[in-house]
Amino acid sequence: MTDVLIVGAGPAGLLLAGELRFAGVDTVVVERHAQRPGFCRGFNLNARALDLLARRGLAERLISEGWQVRHAAFSGLPVTLSLAGTHTDHPYSLGIPQTRVEEILEAHAIGLGADIRRGHELRALEQDSESVTATVATGDGEYRVRAAYLVGCDGGRSTVRKQAGIDFPGTEATRFSLLGDVEFAEPEALPFGATTGPGGSVFVIPRPGYVRVITTDRQPPADKDTPVTLNQLETAVAYALGRHIELRAARWLTRFGNAARQAAEYVRGRVILAGDAAHIHPPAGAIGVNVALDDAFNLGWKLAATVCGTAPAHLLDSYHAERHTAGAHVLANTQAQVLLGEAGDRLGPLTDLLTRVAGHPAGNRAFAETITGLDTRYRMRPDANHPWLGRLAPDLALTADDGCTRLAELLASGRGLLLDLTGGSAVLESAAGWADRVDLVTAACPDHPELHAILLRPDGHTAWLRTAGHGHADGLHQALQHWYGPAAPCDAASAEAFPS
């Protein structure tokens, strides 16, 4: 029996495989496609995704290969949102093909020992109180895999979600668009960005050797999965612009809509959902792959601790609680952008109001952090009002006896982290019973002298901290127990002896 079977080798499945392997969890990934597709779905990693990937040392290589865009658009508003001043270590979006992101994540997971099987398709699953049994098909027949847990990272039409009987409530698509990676017969036929004509608009994104063309699908077929043809895209472009643009050499043609759905349960027994299997939404803001990575990062350490037997009973349920709420926010944000984009004169006063709010520095920052997920804040126990609590801690510059480092480097192992920044030892001594699950480190933080100690979950979110006027030892013990379970018996006495 394997520990975890992941279905789907997209960004969520590959990042999750690496997270599980950090903890030594036996991990198998099955992917129905024998090879990675020859087209690229997206070209964007946002600031939140880069911050998370940096906590595992995965961001720098991606950054070195991509291009930085220091602003974001809020669809439906005639504004450009600056990412300067937002709460992030990476105040930009990174232009990089999703295919390249997948290659780097796959190499990372394989390097840690993940078993990735391409051309292996999940056909059915059954679960009981102890395991999940999956039937997997290959070109040579079928075989069965028994796993302690199964995670569906297999997209919006998720077989895992359907087989597990998890409801997928939401709204049907009411409008559809056509997308094609093609070539223009006349290379300069249309410029970058939107070109408006009498029948609509056409959005063009130049890519090396081709262009991505997006326009409205005025007459989608009854079966929305019917393949798109080059002639259909060419006809739709001609209708929008009122003139013919010759297209050729199609690399990828597809149709997408504005449906918004979210799984009722991210965790059902021993079956778990992440990424598009858990939520679909309009493509406004190019947020999809970023939310999928966020799901995987939140889930990985929790599932690993559950498999290894060190997790408190509620830990896996907290994945649903935290990411279902975050997913609902994404659905609301993207739907709002679509509504504003389609509103016309009817919602003109609202558009004007939001445009003026976005023009204010504080409003600009709030909009930018909302649509990129930088405002993500999880509820912590014990709850408190410090602005860092529950949020991803910034990548602090630290000094220790062995030299300088950064907070992200200390999280690269995938473990929890308790930092004592006062030079004393009492805080770390009090946490000795959790040293098998949490790294205990003494350092100094010159940029934040008011910060005395901080406890981070493996995903980098602040679970507890102490400043000159905030945080107590009993709160530290509550946080450690809540996220990591009881102290090891041999050290429980020293933990209890620490004065509150």
Side-chain angles (χ1 to χ4, degrees), residues 237-283:
V237 169
Y239 180 86
L241 299 180
R243 58 191 173 95
H244 179 70
I245 302 291
E246 184 180 348
L247 309 179
R248 62 188 184 190
R251 302 181 179 209
W252 183 36
L253 297 165
T254 191
R255 174 184 294 106
F256 62 89
N258 62 346
R261 294 186 176 277
Q262 185 176 26
E265 303 164 87
Y266 281 20
V267 180
R268 172 173 281 191
R270 291 178 174 269
V271 175
I272 307 166
L273 302 177
D276 288 352
H279 40 72
I280 60 172
H281 48 81

mmCIF file of all heavy atoms in Angstrom, residues 237-283:
data_model
loop_
_atom_site.group_PDB
_atom_site.id
_atom_site.type_symbol
_atom_site.label_atom_id
_atom_site.label_comp_id
_atom_site.label_asym_id
_atom_site.label_seq_id
_atom_site.Cartn_x
_atom_site.Cartn_y
_atom_site.Cartn_z
ATOM 1 N N VAL A 237 -13.559 36.192 -35.104
ATOM 2 C CA VAL A 237 -12.707 37.375 -35.170
ATOM 3 C C VAL A 237 -13.243 38.344 -36.219
ATOM 4 O O VAL A 237 -13.328 39.562 -35.990
ATOM 5 C CB VAL A 237 -11.256 36.976 -35.483
ATOM 6 C CG1 VAL A 237 -10.419 38.208 -35.828
ATOM 7 C CG2 VAL A 237 -10.643 36.233 -34.300
ATOM 8 N N ALA A 238 -13.641 37.808 -37.374
ATOM 9 C CA ALA A 238 -14.168 38.656 -38.442
ATOM 10 C C ALA A 238 -15.456 39.363 -38.010
ATOM 11 O O ALA A 238 -15.672 40.542 -38.317
ATOM 12 C CB ALA A 238 -14.413 37.817 -39.699
ATOM 13 N N TYR A 239 -16.330 38.658 -37.282
ATOM 14 C CA TYR A 239 -17.575 39.269 -36.820
ATOM 15 C C TYR A 239 -17.277 40.402 -35.835
ATOM 16 O O TYR A 239 -17.897 41.475 -35.895
ATOM 17 C CB TYR A 239 -18.461 38.216 -36.149
ATOM 18 C CG TYR A 239 -19.761 38.787 -35.646
ATOM 19 C CD1 TYR A 239 -20.863 38.890 -36.489
ATOM 20 C CD2 TYR A 239 -19.879 39.243 -34.335
ATOM 21 C CE1 TYR A 239 -22.066 39.442 -36.028
ATOM 22 C CE2 TYR A 239 -21.065 39.797 -33.868
ATOM 23 C CZ TYR A 239 -22.154 39.895 -34.715
ATOM 24 O OH TYR A 239 -23.326 40.439 -34.264
ATOM 25 N N ALA A 240 -16.349 40.168 -34.916
ATOM 26 C CA ALA A 240 -16.037 41.186 -33.914
ATOM 27 C C ALA A 240 -15.456 42.441 -34.557
ATOM 28 O O ALA A 240 -15.832 43.564 -34.209
ATOM 29 C CB ALA A 240 -15.074 40.628 -32.879
ATOM 30 N N LEU A 241 -14.560 42.268 -35.529
ATOM 31 C CA LEU A 241 -13.827 43.404 -36.081
ATOM 32 C C LEU A 241 -14.486 43.994 -37.323
ATOM 33 O O LEU A 241 -14.136 45.104 -37.743
ATOM 34 C CB LEU A 241 -12.391 42.989 -36.414
ATOM 35 C CG LEU A 241 -11.537 42.495 -35.236
ATOM 36 C CD1 LEU A 241 -10.146 42.133 -35.718
ATOM 37 C CD2 LEU A 241 -11.472 43.538 -34.129
ATOM 38 N N GLY A 242 -15.406 43.250 -37.937
ATOM 39 C CA GLY A 242 -16.014 43.727 -39.176
ATOM 40 C C GLY A 242 -15.092 43.615 -40.370
ATOM 41 O O GLY A 242 -15.327 44.247 -41.409
ATOM 42 N N ARG A 243 -14.060 42.821 -40.257
ATOM 43 C CA ARG A 243 -13.123 42.591 -41.365
ATOM 44 C C ARG A 243 -12.430 41.252 -41.174
ATOM 45 O O ARG A 243 -12.354 40.728 -40.066
ATOM 46 C CB ARG A 243 -12.081 43.708 -41.461
ATOM 47 C CG ARG A 243 -11.245 43.912 -40.198
ATOM 48 C CD ARG A 243 -10.441 45.206 -40.298
ATOM 49 N NE ARG A 243 -9.748 45.530 -39.050
ATOM 50 C CZ ARG A 243 -8.484 45.207 -38.787
ATOM 51 N NH1 ARG A 243 -7.762 44.521 -39.676
ATOM 52 N NH2 ARG A 243 -7.929 45.559 -37.636
ATOM 53 N N HIS A 244 -11.932 40.696 -42.271
ATOM 54 C CA HIS A 244 -11.342 39.366 -42.239
ATOM 55 C C HIS A 244 -9.866 39.430 -41.832
ATOM 56 O O HIS A 244 -9.108 40.261 -42.345
ATOM 57 C CB HIS A 244 -11.470 38.712 -43.623
ATOM 58 C CG HIS A 244 -10.860 37.350 -43.680
ATOM 59 N ND1 HIS A 244 -11.397 36.258 -43.037
ATOM 60 C CD2 HIS A 244 -9.723 36.893 -44.296
ATOM 61 C CE1 HIS A 244 -10.647 35.197 -43.260
ATOM 62 N NE2 HIS A 244 -9.628 35.564 -44.028
ATOM 63 N N ILE A 245 -9.501 38.571 -40.918
ATOM 64 C CA ILE A 245 -8.097 38.379 -40.535
ATOM 65 C C ILE A 245 -7.779 36.906 -40.776
ATOM 66 O O ILE A 245 -8.394 36.024 -40.154
ATOM 67 C CB ILE A 245 -7.847 38.725 -39.052
ATOM 68 C CG1 ILE A 245 -8.253 40.160 -38.741
ATOM 69 C CG2 ILE A 245 -6.390 38.465 -38.675
ATOM 70 C CD1 ILE A 245 -7.383 41.214 -39.372
ATOM 71 N N GLU A 246 -6.847 36.629 -41.640
ATOM 72 C CA GLU A 246 -6.536 35.228 -41.945
ATOM 73 C C GLU A 246 -5.663 34.624 -40.839
ATOM 74 O O GLU A 246 -4.612 35.173 -40.475
ATOM 75 C CB GLU A 246 -5.817 35.113 -43.283
ATOM 76 C CG GLU A 246 -5.551 33.666 -43.681
ATOM 77 C CD GLU A 246 -4.832 33.530 -45.014
ATOM 78 O OE1 GLU A 246 -4.732 34.547 -45.746
ATOM 79 O OE2 GLU A 246 -4.355 32.416 -45.318
ATOM 80 N N LEU A 247 -6.124 33.508 -40.296
ATOM 81 C CA LEU A 247 -5.402 32.773 -39.261
ATOM 82 C C LEU A 247 -4.923 31.457 -39.831
ATOM 83 O O LEU A 247 -5.577 30.865 -40.701
ATOM 84 C CB LEU A 247 -6.321 32.512 -38.057
ATOM 85 C CG LEU A 247 -7.074 33.711 -37.473
ATOM 86 C CD1 LEU A 247 -7.959 33.266 -36.312
ATOM 87 C CD2 LEU A 247 -6.108 34.797 -37.017
ATOM 88 N N ARG A 248 -3.810 30.958 -39.303
ATOM 89 C CA ARG A 248 -3.299 29.678 -39.783
ATOM 90 C C ARG A 248 -2.438 29.025 -38.698
ATOM 91 O O ARG A 248 -2.168 29.610 -37.653
ATOM 92 C CB ARG A 248 -2.480 29.868 -41.065
ATOM 93 C CG ARG A 248 -1.246 30.732 -40.884
ATOM 94 C CD ARG A 248 -0.593 31.042 -42.214
ATOM 95 N NE ARG A 248 0.646 31.801 -42.028
ATOM 96 C CZ ARG A 248 1.327 32.370 -43.009
ATOM 97 N NH1 ARG A 248 0.879 32.289 -44.255
ATOM 98 N NH2 ARG A 248 2.446 33.021 -42.756
ATOM 99 N N ALA A 249 -2.030 27.803 -38.970
ATOM 100 C CA ALA A 249 -1.086 27.061 -38.122
ATOM 101 C C ALA A 249 -1.523 27.037 -36.659
ATOM 102 O O ALA A 249 -0.779 27.430 -35.758
ATOM 103 C CB ALA A 249 0.330 27.645 -38.256
ATOM 104 N N ALA A 250 -2.738 26.549 -36.411
ATOM 105 C CA ALA A 250 -3.248 26.498 -35.040
ATOM 106 C C ALA A 250 -2.463 25.497 -34.196
ATOM 107 O O ALA A 250 -2.288 24.345 -34.594
ATOM 108 C CB ALA A 250 -4.721 26.131 -35.046
ATOM 109 N N ARG A 251 -2.015 25.926 -33.031
ATOM 110 C CA ARG A 251 -1.339 25.048 -32.070
ATOM 111 C C ARG A 251 -2.310 24.529 -31.012
ATOM 112 O O ARG A 251 -2.167 23.424 -30.514
ATOM 113 C CB ARG A 251 -0.197 25.805 -31.377
ATOM 114 C CG ARG A 251 0.853 26.356 -32.321
ATOM 115 C CD ARG A 251 1.951 27.051 -31.556
ATOM 116 N NE ARG A 251 2.977 27.565 -32.456
ATOM 117 C CZ ARG A 251 4.245 27.711 -32.132
ATOM 118 N NH1 ARG A 251 4.646 27.374 -30.911
ATOM 119 N NH2 ARG A 251 5.114 28.190 -32.993
ATOM 120 N N TRP A 252 -3.245 25.398 -30.642
ATOM 121 C CA TRP A 252 -4.232 25.028 -29.624
ATOM 122 C C TRP A 252 -5.471 25.853 -29.846
ATOM 123 O O TRP A 252 -5.409 27.082 -30.046
ATOM 124 C CB TRP A 252 -3.660 25.314 -28.226
ATOM 125 C CG TRP A 252 -4.557 24.909 -27.089
ATOM 126 C CD1 TRP A 252 -5.388 23.820 -27.032
ATOM 127 C CD2 TRP A 252 -4.720 25.599 -25.837
ATOM 128 N NE1 TRP A 252 -6.047 23.775 -25.830
ATOM 129 C CE2 TRP A 252 -5.661 24.850 -25.068
ATOM 130 C CE3 TRP A 252 -4.165 26.744 -25.287
ATOM 131 C CZ2 TRP A 252 -6.045 25.231 -23.797
ATOM 132 C CZ3 TRP A 252 -4.543 27.128 -24.012
ATOM 133 C CH2 TRP A 252 -5.470 26.372 -23.277
ATOM 134 N N LEU A 253 -6.635 25.210 -29.830
ATOM 135 C CA LEU A 253 -7.920 25.877 -29.954
ATOM 136 C C LEU A 253 -8.829 25.364 -28.847
ATOM 137 O O LEU A 253 -8.931 24.148 -28.650
ATOM 138 C CB LEU A 253 -8.557 25.579 -31.321
ATOM 139 C CG LEU A 253 -7.794 26.072 -32.555
ATOM 140 C CD1 LEU A 253 -8.336 25.403 -33.810
ATOM 141 C CD2 LEU A 253 -7.889 27.593 -32.675
ATOM 142 N N THR A 254 -9.473 26.280 -28.137
ATOM 143 C CA THR A 254 -10.329 25.842 -27.037
ATOM 144 C C THR A 254 -11.434 26.856 -26.795
ATOM 145 O O THR A 254 -11.431 27.971 -27.356
ATOM 146 C CB THR A 254 -9.501 25.631 -25.758
ATOM 147 O OG1 THR A 254 -10.310 24.972 -24.779
ATOM 148 C CG2 THR A 254 -8.997 26.949 -25.193
ATOM 149 N N ARG A 255 -12.360 26.464 -25.949
ATOM 150 C CA ARG A 255 -13.500 27.304 -25.574
ATOM 151 C C ARG A 255 -13.571 27.343 -24.046
ATOM 152 O O ARG A 255 -13.366 26.325 -23.389
ATOM 153 C CB ARG A 255 -14.790 26.709 -26.146
ATOM 154 C CG ARG A 255 -16.085 27.386 -25.729
ATOM 155 C CD ARG A 255 -17.299 26.638 -26.290
ATOM 156 N NE ARG A 255 -17.363 26.694 -27.746
ATOM 157 C CZ ARG A 255 -17.084 25.679 -28.557
ATOM 158 N NH1 ARG A 255 -16.727 24.492 -28.044
ATOM 159 N NH2 ARG A 255 -17.156 25.812 -29.850
ATOM 160 N N PHE A 256 -13.824 28.506 -23.483
ATOM 161 C CA PHE A 256 -13.985 28.579 -22.031
ATOM 162 C C PHE A 256 -15.138 29.514 -21.701
ATOM 163 O O PHE A 256 -15.481 30.406 -22.484
ATOM 164 C CB PHE A 256 -12.696 29.026 -21.333
ATOM 165 C CG PHE A 256 -12.222 30.409 -21.713
ATOM 166 C CD1 PHE A 256 -12.659 31.532 -21.012
ATOM 167 C CD2 PHE A 256 -11.323 30.591 -22.760
ATOM 168 C CE1 PHE A 256 -12.217 32.803 -21.346
ATOM 169 C CE2 PHE A 256 -10.889 31.870 -23.109
ATOM 170 C CZ PHE A 256 -11.336 32.973 -22.405
ATOM 171 N N GLY A 257 -15.738 29.275 -20.545
ATOM 172 C CA GLY A 257 -16.897 30.062 -20.133
ATOM 173 C C GLY A 257 -16.690 30.725 -18.796
ATOM 174 O O GLY A 257 -15.608 30.672 -18.205
ATOM 175 N N ASN A 258 -17.750 31.328 -18.287
ATOM 176 C CA ASN A 258 -17.678 32.062 -17.023
ATOM 177 C C ASN A 258 -18.357 31.306 -15.882
ATOM 178 O O ASN A 258 -18.828 31.915 -14.921
ATOM 179 C CB ASN A 258 -18.293 33.455 -17.177
ATOM 180 C CG ASN A 258 -19.778 33.407 -17.543
ATOM 181 O OD1 ASN A 258 -20.289 32.363 -17.931
ATOM 182 N ND2 ASN A 258 -20.460 34.533 -17.432
ATOM 183 N N ALA A 259 -18.408 29.977 -15.984
ATOM 184 C CA ALA A 259 -18.970 29.178 -14.896
ATOM 185 C C ALA A 259 -18.168 29.385 -13.612
ATOM 186 O O ALA A 259 -16.956 29.637 -13.648
ATOM 187 C CB ALA A 259 -18.969 27.701 -15.272
ATOM 188 N N ALA A 260 -18.848 29.271 -12.490
ATOM 189 C CA ALA A 260 -18.197 29.387 -11.186
ATOM 190 C C ALA A 260 -18.762 28.302 -10.273
ATOM 191 O O ALA A 260 -19.948 28.328 -9.936
ATOM 192 C CB ALA A 260 -18.426 30.771 -10.584
ATOM 193 N N ARG A 261 -17.933 27.355 -9.898
ATOM 194 C CA ARG A 261 -18.371 26.247 -9.053
ATOM 195 C C ARG A 261 -17.302 25.943 -8.012
ATOM 196 O O ARG A 261 -16.109 26.160 -8.250
ATOM 197 C CB ARG A 261 -18.630 24.985 -9.885
ATOM 198 C CG ARG A 261 -19.798 25.117 -10.847
ATOM 199 C CD ARG A 261 -20.087 23.775 -11.537
ATOM 200 N NE ARG A 261 -21.252 23.865 -12.395
ATOM 201 C CZ ARG A 261 -22.502 23.746 -11.962
ATOM 202 N NH1 ARG A 261 -22.731 23.523 -10.673
ATOM 203 N NH2 ARG A 261 -23.520 23.848 -12.783
ATOM 204 N N GLN A 262 -17.756 25.409 -6.874
ATOM 205 C CA GLN A 262 -16.825 25.046 -5.811
ATOM 206 C C GLN A 262 -17.300 23.772 -5.140
ATOM 207 O O GLN A 262 -18.495 23.622 -4.834
ATOM 208 C CB GLN A 262 -16.709 26.170 -4.786
ATOM 209 C CG GLN A 262 -15.658 25.921 -3.717
ATOM 210 C CD GLN A 262 -15.504 27.095 -2.772
ATOM 211 O OE1 GLN A 262 -16.435 27.871 -2.579
ATOM 212 N NE2 GLN A 262 -14.334 27.233 -2.166
ATOM 213 N N ALA A 263 -16.378 22.855 -4.935
ATOM 214 C CA ALA A 263 -16.715 21.595 -4.277
ATOM 215 C C ALA A 263 -17.268 21.860 -2.886
ATOM 216 O O ALA A 263 -16.741 22.685 -2.139
ATOM 217 C CB ALA A 263 -15.485 20.700 -4.188
ATOM 218 N N ALA A 264 -18.336 21.138 -2.552
ATOM 219 C CA ALA A 264 -18.941 21.302 -1.234
ATOM 220 C C ALA A 264 -18.009 20.839 -0.126
ATOM 221 O O ALA A 264 -18.042 21.358 0.986
ATOM 222 C CB ALA A 264 -20.259 20.530 -1.166
ATOM 223 N N GLU A 265 -17.164 19.852 -0.437
ATOM 224 C CA GLU A 265 -16.202 19.325 0.530
ATOM 225 C C GLU A 265 -14.849 19.197 -0.161
ATOM 226 O O GLU A 265 -14.757 18.605 -1.225
ATOM 227 C CB GLU A 265 -16.637 17.945 1.032
ATOM 228 C CG GLU A 265 -18.017 17.888 1.668
ATOM 229 C CD GLU A 265 -18.503 16.456 1.775
ATOM 230 O OE1 GLU A 265 -18.190 15.798 2.787
ATOM 231 O OE2 GLU A 265 -19.189 16.000 0.839
ATOM 232 N N TYR A 266 -13.810 19.741 0.449
ATOM 233 C CA TYR A 266 -12.459 19.516 -0.061
ATOM 234 C C TYR A 266 -11.889 18.204 0.486
ATOM 235 O O TYR A 266 -10.928 17.673 -0.072
ATOM 236 C CB TYR A 266 -11.540 20.668 0.335
ATOM 237 C CG TYR A 266 -11.679 21.923 -0.510
ATOM 238 C CD1 TYR A 266 -12.822 22.175 -1.266
ATOM 239 C CD2 TYR A 266 -10.656 22.865 -0.547
ATOM 240 C CE1 TYR A 266 -12.938 23.325 -2.019
ATOM 241 C CE2 TYR A 266 -10.767 24.025 -1.292
ATOM 242 C CZ TYR A 266 -11.909 24.252 -2.029
ATOM 243 O OH TYR A 266 -12.015 25.408 -2.770
ATOM 244 N N VAL A 267 -12.464 17.722 1.577
ATOM 245 C CA VAL A 267 -12.030 16.473 2.194
ATOM 246 C C VAL A 267 -13.267 15.630 2.464
ATOM 247 O O VAL A 267 -14.176 16.074 3.171
ATOM 248 C CB VAL A 267 -11.270 16.713 3.523
ATOM 249 C CG1 VAL A 267 -10.828 15.381 4.128
ATOM 250 C CG2 VAL A 267 -10.073 17.635 3.307
ATOM 251 N N ARG A 268 -13.314 14.443 1.880
ATOM 252 C CA ARG A 268 -14.372 13.492 2.206
ATOM 253 C C ARG A 268 -13.716 12.167 2.547
ATOM 254 O O ARG A 268 -13.236 11.455 1.651
ATOM 255 C CB ARG A 268 -15.362 13.307 1.058
ATOM 256 C CG ARG A 268 -16.349 12.167 1.321
ATOM 257 C CD ARG A 268 -17.447 12.050 0.292
ATOM 258 N NE ARG A 268 -18.501 13.036 0.526
ATOM 259 C CZ ARG A 268 -19.676 13.015 -0.106
ATOM 260 N NH1 ARG A 268 -19.927 12.079 -1.010
ATOM 261 N NH2 ARG A 268 -20.583 13.923 0.168
ATOM 262 N N GLY A 269 -13.674 11.858 3.820
ATOM 263 C CA GLY A 269 -13.021 10.623 4.247
ATOM 264 C C GLY A 269 -11.549 10.679 3.914
ATOM 265 O O GLY A 269 -10.807 11.540 4.387
ATOM 266 N N ARG A 270 -11.124 9.780 3.044
ATOM 267 C CA ARG A 270 -9.721 9.704 2.646
ATOM 268 C C ARG A 270 -9.494 10.219 1.225
ATOM 269 O O ARG A 270 -8.438 9.980 0.634
ATOM 270 C CB ARG A 270 -9.218 8.264 2.790
ATOM 271 C CG ARG A 270 -9.134 7.834 4.258
ATOM 272 C CD ARG A 270 -8.693 6.413 4.438
ATOM 273 N NE ARG A 270 -8.504 6.115 5.855
ATOM 274 C CZ ARG A 270 -7.350 6.262 6.507
ATOM 275 N NH1 ARG A 270 -6.282 6.680 5.861
ATOM 276 N NH2 ARG A 270 -7.270 5.990 7.797
ATOM 277 N N VAL A 271 -10.483 10.899 0.678
ATOM 278 C CA VAL A 271 -10.367 11.517 -0.639
ATOM 279 C C VAL A 271 -10.336 13.032 -0.470
ATOM 280 O O VAL A 271 -11.163 13.606 0.253
ATOM 281 C CB VAL A 271 -11.535 11.107 -1.552
ATOM 282 C CG1 VAL A 271 -11.468 11.852 -2.877
ATOM 283 C CG2 VAL A 271 -11.514 9.604 -1.791
ATOM 284 N N ILE A 272 -9.394 13.693 -1.135
ATOM 285 C CA ILE A 272 -9.161 15.122 -0.981
ATOM 286 C C ILE A 272 -9.097 15.756 -2.369
ATOM 287 O O ILE A 272 -8.637 15.121 -3.332
ATOM 288 C CB ILE A 272 -7.831 15.364 -0.226
ATOM 289 C CG1 ILE A 272 -7.820 14.578 1.097
ATOM 290 C CG2 ILE A 272 -7.611 16.853 0.040
ATOM 291 C CD1 ILE A 272 -6.445 14.489 1.734
ATOM 292 N N LEU A 273 -9.536 16.993 -2.482
ATOM 293 C CA LEU A 273 -9.497 17.725 -3.751
ATOM 294 C C LEU A 273 -8.607 18.955 -3.622
ATOM 295 O O LEU A 273 -8.552 19.590 -2.566
ATOM 296 C CB LEU A 273 -10.900 18.173 -4.158
ATOM 297 C CG LEU A 273 -11.963 17.086 -4.326
ATOM 298 C CD1 LEU A 273 -13.311 17.721 -4.650
ATOM 299 C CD2 LEU A 273 -11.557 16.082 -5.400
ATOM 300 N N ALA A 274 -7.932 19.300 -4.725
ATOM 301 C CA ALA A 274 -7.114 20.511 -4.770
ATOM 302 C C ALA A 274 -7.114 21.055 -6.187
ATOM 303 O O ALA A 274 -7.323 20.328 -7.157
ATOM 304 C CB ALA A 274 -5.682 20.225 -4.307
ATOM 305 N N GLY A 275 -6.845 22.365 -6.310
ATOM 306 C CA GLY A 275 -6.787 22.985 -7.629
ATOM 307 C C GLY A 275 -8.149 23.032 -8.294
ATOM 308 O O GLY A 275 -9.191 23.134 -7.637
ATOM 309 N N ASP A 276 -8.161 22.948 -9.634
ATOM 310 C CA ASP A 276 -9.410 23.058 -10.380
ATOM 311 C C ASP A 276 -10.395 21.943 -10.063
ATOM 312 O O ASP A 276 -11.593 22.089 -10.310
ATOM 313 C CB ASP A 276 -9.129 23.063 -11.879
ATOM 314 C CG ASP A 276 -8.493 24.363 -12.357
ATOM 315 O OD1 ASP A 276 -8.420 25.312 -11.555
ATOM 316 O OD2 ASP A 276 -8.082 24.427 -13.527
ATOM 317 N N ALA A 277 -9.942 20.838 -9.529
ATOM 318 C CA ALA A 277 -10.870 19.791 -9.097
ATOM 319 C C ALA A 277 -11.763 20.284 -7.972
ATOM 320 O O ALA A 277 -12.879 19.795 -7.794
ATOM 321 C CB ALA A 277 -10.097 18.553 -8.643
ATOM 322 N N ALA A 278 -11.300 21.271 -7.232
ATOM 323 C CA ALA A 278 -12.044 21.809 -6.101
ATOM 324 C C ALA A 278 -12.804 23.081 -6.443
ATOM 325 O O ALA A 278 -13.760 23.438 -5.743
ATOM 326 C CB ALA A 278 -11.104 22.093 -4.925
ATOM 327 N N HIS A 279 -12.409 23.773 -7.514
ATOM 328 C CA HIS A 279 -13.054 25.043 -7.841
ATOM 329 C C HIS A 279 -12.763 25.442 -9.283
ATOM 330 O O HIS A 279 -11.657 25.254 -9.785
ATOM 331 C CB HIS A 279 -12.568 26.165 -6.916
ATOM 332 C CG HIS A 279 -11.091 26.095 -6.631
ATOM 333 N ND1 HIS A 279 -10.118 26.397 -7.563
ATOM 334 C CD2 HIS A 279 -10.412 25.721 -5.514
ATOM 335 C CE1 HIS A 279 -8.917 26.229 -7.032
ATOM 336 N NE2 HIS A 279 -9.072 25.814 -5.779
ATOM 337 N N ILE A 280 -13.771 25.955 -9.969
ATOM 338 C CA ILE A 280 -13.585 26.577 -11.279
ATOM 339 C C ILE A 280 -14.207 27.954 -11.225
ATOM 340 O O ILE A 280 -15.153 28.197 -10.468
ATOM 341 C CB ILE A 280 -14.195 25.744 -12.422
ATOM 342 C CG1 ILE A 280 -15.701 25.561 -12.214
ATOM 343 C CG2 ILE A 280 -13.498 24.402 -12.547
ATOM 344 C CD1 ILE A 280 -16.410 24.921 -13.405
ATOM 345 N N HIS A 281 -13.685 28.866 -12.014
ATOM 346 C CA HIS A 281 -14.140 30.251 -11.945
ATOM 347 C C HIS A 281 -13.761 30.953 -13.234
ATOM 348 O O HIS A 281 -12.939 30.441 -14.018
ATOM 349 C CB HIS A 281 -13.486 30.957 -10.749
ATOM 350 C CG HIS A 281 -12.003 30.751 -10.672
ATOM 351 N ND1 HIS A 281 -11.118 31.482 -11.420
ATOM 352 C CD2 HIS A 281 -11.249 29.868 -9.956
ATOM 353 C CE1 HIS A 281 -9.884 31.060 -11.172
ATOM 354 N NE2 HIS A 281 -9.939 30.092 -10.280
ATOM 355 N N PRO A 282 -14.328 32.123 -13.510
ATOM 356 C CA PRO A 282 -13.922 32.874 -14.697
ATOM 357 C C PRO A 282 -12.430 33.171 -14.671
ATOM 358 O O PRO A 282 -11.823 33.266 -13.594
ATOM 359 C CB PRO A 282 -14.754 34.157 -14.595
ATOM 360 C CG PRO A 282 -15.946 33.782 -13.770
ATOM 361 C CD PRO A 282 -15.422 32.778 -12.770
ATOM 362 N N PRO A 283 -11.815 33.333 -15.849
ATOM 363 C CA PRO A 283 -10.351 33.494 -15.894
ATOM 364 C C PRO A 283 -9.853 34.890 -15.566
ATOM 365 O O PRO A 283 -8.660 35.164 -15.740
ATOM 366 C CB PRO A 283 -10.023 33.125 -17.351
ATOM 367 C CG PRO A 283 -11.255 33.505 -18.112
ATOM 368 C CD PRO A 283 -12.413 33.209 -17.193
#
